């Protein structure tokens, strides 16, 4: 019997995948399911993107690129920061990766020694803790609640900092809460981390999915931090697996060496898709999608409150609502399975995102069309009220 490494004991599954499987079984048996569990946008890509991808393949562009990605794409990302956030970044500081998952792995592997701690909020994107564990680090999950918009503050970080702390991971907007870190607070967080010689990693994968608020990039706070981003969410290209990171100059050489070894290259046809995605015609399409997400949030947020879920902080970005379900259940995992079976509505249990009050929370994703969301709310109302 082959035994796997001990570190595997601490790698938890995505509980939402169990729900998805259960939902798919119910669908196969003829039951209509409203999917509000998986954080994957459900729109078709503009034709320009599919054309660019097939044209690249037709021209034989199916080999490896540089480990950092296509020069044109890195330059396109430079323009993205200049046009959207008035930030100047040199293309040498950008590494294109297989999804932002690739970028997160690179930065953790390159920055964190075995036994060193990485501070992150609880709840948070679950893979972060697993990336840290996979590379021998120690995730330090700090509970965050509605008082701070489910985000870490500079004071939280300063209080949690220990001798072995090396880095801090935050995301704005956050998965699962859709809440933001104000720029002033991020500047304070940067100060705390910098004074202690640590590394601040800011996940901006939902950066462009903001509703009625102005965005910024952490790169306007400092050049001396790592920013993570992706073509998966705003650009809807989840399966094409293209993301990127922007790192301080002194980290680029080790990150590139590691990228060469871990990935050789990000997927080439997908990089041509990404190049097309940042053209104005496609951006106009994604902006329409963003308006549509805003419309869905503006429907779902008050509808969930009316049903009796508590959502103390208005989610201002991403496509998630993190709701306290304790009026109905204090075992959110069971609650999710129960409402899937009884109503056909699939949502994600809090324990996918951490430990703190996880059993009192569920996450709704508004990635499917408005009609499905309206239908989901109707079914929940019939069952819960
Ligand atoms: C906060 C956050 N970061 C990173 C990722 C990884 O996305 P991808 O690898 O598709 O870019 C996700 C995916 O859901 C996410 O929610």
């Amino acid at each position: 019997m082959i035994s796997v490494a001990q570190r595997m004991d601490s790698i938890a599954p995505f509980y939402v995948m169990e729900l998805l499987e259960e939902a798919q079984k119910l669908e196969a048996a003829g039951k209509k399911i409203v999917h509000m569990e998986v954080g994957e946008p459900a729109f078709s890509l503009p034709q320009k993107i599919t054309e660019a991808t097939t044209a690249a393949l037709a021209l034989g562009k199916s080999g490896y690129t540089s480990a950092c990605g296509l020069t044109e794409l890195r330059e396109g990302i430079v323009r993205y920061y200049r046009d959207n956030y008035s930030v100047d970044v040199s293309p040498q500081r950008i590494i294109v990766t297989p999804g932002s998952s690739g970028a997160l792995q690179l930065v953790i592997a390159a920055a964190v020694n075995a036994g060193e701690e990485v501070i992150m909020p609880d709840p948070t994107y679950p893979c972060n803790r697993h990336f840290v564990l996979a590379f021998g680090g120690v995730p330090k999950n700090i509970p965050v609640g509605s008082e701070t918009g489910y985000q870490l503050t500079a004071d939280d970080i300063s209080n949690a900092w220990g001798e072995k702390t090396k880095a801090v991971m935050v995301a704005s907007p956050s998965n699962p809460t859709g809440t933001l870190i104000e720029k002033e607070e991020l500047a304070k967080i940067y100060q705390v981390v910098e004074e202690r010689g640590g590394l601040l990693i800011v996940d901006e994968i939902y950066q462009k999915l903001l509703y009625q608020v102005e965005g910024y990039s952490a790169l306007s706070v400092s050049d001396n931090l790592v920013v993570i981003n992706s073509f998966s969410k705003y650009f809807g290209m989840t399966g094409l697996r293209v993301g990127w990171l922007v790192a301080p100059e002194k980290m680029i050489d080790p990150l590139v060496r590691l990228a060469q070894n871990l990935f050789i290259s990000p997927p080439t046809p997908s990089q041509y898709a990404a190049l097309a995605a940042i053209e104005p015609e496609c951006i106009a399409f994604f902006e329409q999608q963003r308006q549509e997400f805003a419309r869905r949030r503006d429907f779902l947020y008050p509808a969930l409150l009316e049903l009796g879920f508590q959502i103390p902080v208005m989610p201002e970005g991403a496509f998630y609502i993190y709701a306290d379900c304790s009026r109905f259940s204090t075992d959110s995992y069971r609650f999710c399975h129960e409402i899937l079976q009884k109503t056909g509505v699939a949502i994600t249990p809090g324990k996918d995102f951490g430990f703190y009050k996880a059993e009192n929370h569920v996450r709704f994703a508004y990635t499917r069309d408005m009609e499905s969301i309206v239908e989901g709310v109707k079914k929940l109302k019939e069952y819960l009220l």
Side-chain angles (χ1 to χ4, degrees):
M1 173 73 177
I2 296 172
S3 64
V4 296
Q6 241 166 28
R7 74 173 74 89
M8 286 312 299
D9 294 348
S10 49
I11 309 290
F14 265 137
Y15 296 105
V16 66
M17 293 326 264
E18 281 173 24
L19 257 135
L20 184 63
E21 256 175 52
E22 196 177 321
Q24 284 163 344
K25 275 190 201 143
L26 290 169
E27 266 170 336
K31 190 167 168 95
K32 189 158 185 290
I33 301 295
V34 176
H35 290 280
M36 291 172 127
E37 75 284 49
V38 187
E40 182 168 31
F43 54 80
S44 308
L45 292 177
Q47 211 176 335
K48 223 174 163 202
I49 296 182
T50 40
E51 280 168 9
T53 320
T54 44
L57 284 170
L59 289 169
K61 294 177 176 172
S62 55
Y64 298 135
T65 64
S66 143
C68 304
L70 289 169
T71 305
E72 306 93 288
L73 184 54
R74 294 165 84 197
E75 281 165 356
I77 294 170
V78 169
R79 281 196 303 280
Y80 166 92
Y81 284 112
R82 193 181 307 135
D83 297 350
N84 289 288
Y85 304 105
S86 308
V87 174
D88 269 319
V89 184
S90 87
Q92 285 75 33
R93 289 179 52 211
I94 297 168
I95 303 180
V96 180
T97 51
S100 67
S101 305
L104 287 163
Q105 288 169 64
L106 279 184
V107 66
I108 296 297
V112 179
N113 288 304
E116 286 181 336
E117 292 167 352
V118 179
I119 291 175
M120 59 186 78
D122 177 354
T124 191
Y125 177 56
C127 301
N128 288 346
R129 129 175 129 250
H130 297 142
F131 292 146
V132 172
L133 286 163
F135 289 109
V138 181
K140 195 165 189 181
N141 306 288
I142 309 300
V144 289
S146 56
E147 326 75 65
T148 61
Y150 303 103
Q151 291 281 6
L152 287 172
T153 63
D155 284 345
D156 290 333
I157 292 167
S158 162
N159 292 335
W161 201 278
E163 263 177 26
K164 294 204 156 172
T165 307
K166 182 60 176 288
V168 175
M169 294 175 98
V170 293
S172 179
S174 135
N175 176 6
T177 64
T179 53
L180 316 180
I181 303 178
E182 298 285 333
K183 187 170 172 182
E184 293 70 32
E185 191 62 37
L186 192 83
K188 286 187 200 159
I189 291 176
Y190 170 73
Q191 211 58 47
V192 167
V193 178
E194 204 261 344
E195 278 166 19
R196 288 156 182 77
L199 177 67
L200 178 60
I201 303 161
V202 186
D203 185 337
E204 297 188 333
I205 178 170
Y206 298 101
Q207 172 176 59
K208 292 277 278 167
L209 288 171
L210 288 185
Y211 315 116
Q212 287 122 25
V213 282
E214 280 292 304
Y216 69 94
S217 169
L219 294 168
S220 63
V221 168
S222 171
D223 282 343
N224 197 29
L225 43 74
V226 172
V227 155
I228 304 286
N229 214 320
S230 176
F231 285 90
S232 287
K233 306 292 175 170
Y234 173 74
F235 299 94
M237 293 167 36
T238 40
L240 294 179
R241 313 304 303 132
V242 204
W244 75 88
L245 61 78
V246 185
E249 244 156 59
K250 59 179 182 298
M251 282 189 77
I252 289 296
D253 175 59
L255 284 168
V256 173
R257 272 187 276 131
L258 201 55
Q260 289 166 341
N261 282 276
L262 288 184
F263 311 128
I264 302 187
S265 149
T268 303
S270 303
Q271 293 187 68
Y272 285 97
L275 258 180
I278 51 177
E279 289 293 317
E281 190 186 317
C282 291
I283 294 292
F285 169 83
F286 296 128
E287 278 301 296
Q288 273 174 16
Q289 291 305 315
R290 187 174 64 84
Q291 305 291 351
E292 175 55 24
F293 284 129
R295 216 164 68 84
R296 294 178 198 169
R297 184 208 56 171
D298 291 346
F299 167 76
L300 188 59
Y301 173 70
L304 293 177
L305 289 177
E306 212 177 295
L307 286 178
F309 290 95
Q310 288 167 54
I311 312 158
V313 189
M314 173 70 145
E316 292 180 303
F319 30 56
Y320 306 116
I321 296 179
Y322 191 62
D324 184 327
C325 63
S326 46
R327 182 172 155 195
F328 308 110
S329 169
T330 49
D331 181 347
S332 60
Y333 182 68
R334 244 181 63 194
F335 178 65
C336 287
H337 284 273
E338 176 191 319
I339 67 158
L340 174 62
Q341 289 294 338
K342 301 279 187 201
T343 70
V345 178
I347 54 174
T348 307
K351 80 171 184 174
D352 246 345
F353 308 103
F355 311 95
Y356 179 61
K357 295 189 179 169
E359 62 289 347
N360 289 349
H361 288 86
V362 293
R363 186 195 72 178
F364 291 81
Y366 45 94
T367 45
R368 296 292 169 108
D369 58 65
M370 192 66 166
E371 211 188 327
S372 308
I373 295 169
V374 171
E375 171 80 6
V377 168
K378 188 168 153 264
K379 287 180 167 179
L380 287 175
K381 195 169 182 173
E382 283 162 9
Y383 180 65
L384 295 172
L385 297 188

